[in-house]
Amino acid sequence: MISPELVVCADADQLAQRAAAIIGQAAAASIAQRGRFTFVLTGGSSPKQTYERLAVRAVDPAIDWSRTYLFVGDERFVPYDDERSNYGMARRELIEPAGIAGDRVFPMPTDRATPADGARAYAQTLQQFFDMPGGGPMPVFDLVLLGLGDDGHCASLFPHAPALQVNDTSVTWSPPGTLPPPVDRVTLTYPALNAARQVLFIVPGANKAEAVRDIWQNDAPPIERPAAGVRPQSGRLTWLVDKDAARLLAAR
Ligand code: 6PG
């Protein structure tokens, strides 16, 4: 694994600017090398400023949305028009404003009978998209965007959750974690996250500081701080934190 990189940004706005630039660079490189950019979105509030920048093309190099395919890293098991939907948020903040065509966007299905059914369906979608006959190895996304929960979760991989132990498929489901909203989830698994060519964490805010310290300074185990388990086998791992989120780190 390439050494993980921790970048401390002055504030949330500079973090969003840096994140948009990294995503733009990943898109340009992926399209140049493979003719497409496969980009996994995160939910929550942290990405909104980044999505806004991407949507208005306030990024250099500009992203070629016609060669970009969007996925989601996790989803609340609610209808897409529910205010808690991660896809619903991405549609409002990025997909519609950027004019991204629907056939390039792959939301997690939340209309199945159970979240487990939704997870199976999404794993099949990924197998087809990445042309992995018979289940094959894991999908290799070009860039996975992740936020960090105050408890150190990422995607919907919550502390002590059974989903942390799933290593034979790319997508699983999880009951609610301890943080709101208290709804079942569908989530990418560690093997899917760790197969990515690049993982980018965006972590603004003082409420993340304890989890950042535990992961970056106290070597917290993934069972306690699940984001610690995101270690791409051969991909790049970059954490963008703002000064508030970095405030408990020893002087670097
Ligand atoms: C979710 C998200 C989740 C999020 C973190 C951080 O479905 O809730 O995908 O993993 O990234 O909880 O959330 P904030 O960005 O709102 O702090």
Side-chain angles (χ1 to χ4, degrees):
M1 183 181 117
I2 301 167
S3 300
E5 182 185 19
L6 176 68
V7 178
V8 180
C9 302
D11 53 31
D13 187 59
Q14 193 191 75
L15 188 155
Q17 187 177 341
R18 185 74 176 263
I22 290 171
I23 295 163
Q25 288 153 13
S30 303
I31 290 168
Q33 291 163 25
R34 290 176 294 278
R36 71 184 188 186
F37 176 45
T38 55
F39 176 21
V40 179
L41 303 177
T42 182
S45 57
S46 298
K48 286 184 181 175
Q49 280 184 273
T50 301
Y51 292 163
E52 281 166 17
R53 286 176 174 275
L54 296 178
V56 299
R57 291 166 170 71
V59 61
D60 181 26
I63 294 178
D64 180 350
W65 294 116
S66 72
R67 311 283 285 275
T68 296
Y69 296 84
L70 297 180
F71 303 83
V72 288
D74 71 314
E75 187 55 273
R76 291 83 178 272
F77 202 65
V78 296
Y80 295 153
D81 59 2
D82 185 303
E83 63 175 8
R84 298 166 295 180
S85 169
N86 286 338
Y87 168 65
M89 182 274 284
R91 189 169 51 186
R92 287 192 304 276
E93 303 292 336
L94 173 59
I95 296 166
E96 288 173 351
I100 300 168
D103 62 353
R104 301 188 186 291
V105 184
F106 298 87
M108 287 178 164
T110 60
D111 56 356
R112 299 301 194 278
T114 67
D117 293 338
R120 274 189 290 273
Y122 203 61
Q124 286 164 4
T125 297
L126 297 182
Q127 283 172 14
Q128 287 156 11
F129 180 87
F130 286 95
D131 194 20
M132 303 181 323
M138 286 297 147
V140 179
F141 294 107
D142 291 313
L143 188 140
V144 175
L145 190 62
L146 290 172
L148 180 73
D150 300 4
D151 60 357
H153 83 257
C154 62
S156 286
L157 299 173
F158 301 116
H160 304 284
L164 301 181
Q165 310 306 324
V166 176
N167 56 27
D168 60 351
T169 183
S170 56
V171 192
T172 192
W173 78 281
S174 176
T178 55
L179 297 178
V183 293
D184 287 338
R185 309 294 188 94
V186 178
T187 184
L188 294 184
T189 58
Y190 277 138
L193 298 176
N194 288 329
R197 293 188 177 89
Q198 183 165 9
V199 177
L200 175 63
F201 275 90
I202 49 175
V203 186
N207 52 316
K208 315 289 184 186
E210 283 189 19
V212 168
R213 175 203 55 203
D214 292 350
I215 292 167
W216 278 88
Q217 206 156 275
N218 299 348
D219 201 19
I223 192 90
E224 300 289 345
R225 300 285 195 195
V230 178
R231 303 188 192 94
Q233 289 105 335
S234 56
R236 286 182 62 184
L237 174 60
T238 305
W239 282 57
L240 297 181
V241 300
D242 68 5
K243 280 194 173 136
D244 289 339
R247 65 188 171 86
L248 297 178
L249 291 178
R252 295 174 63 78

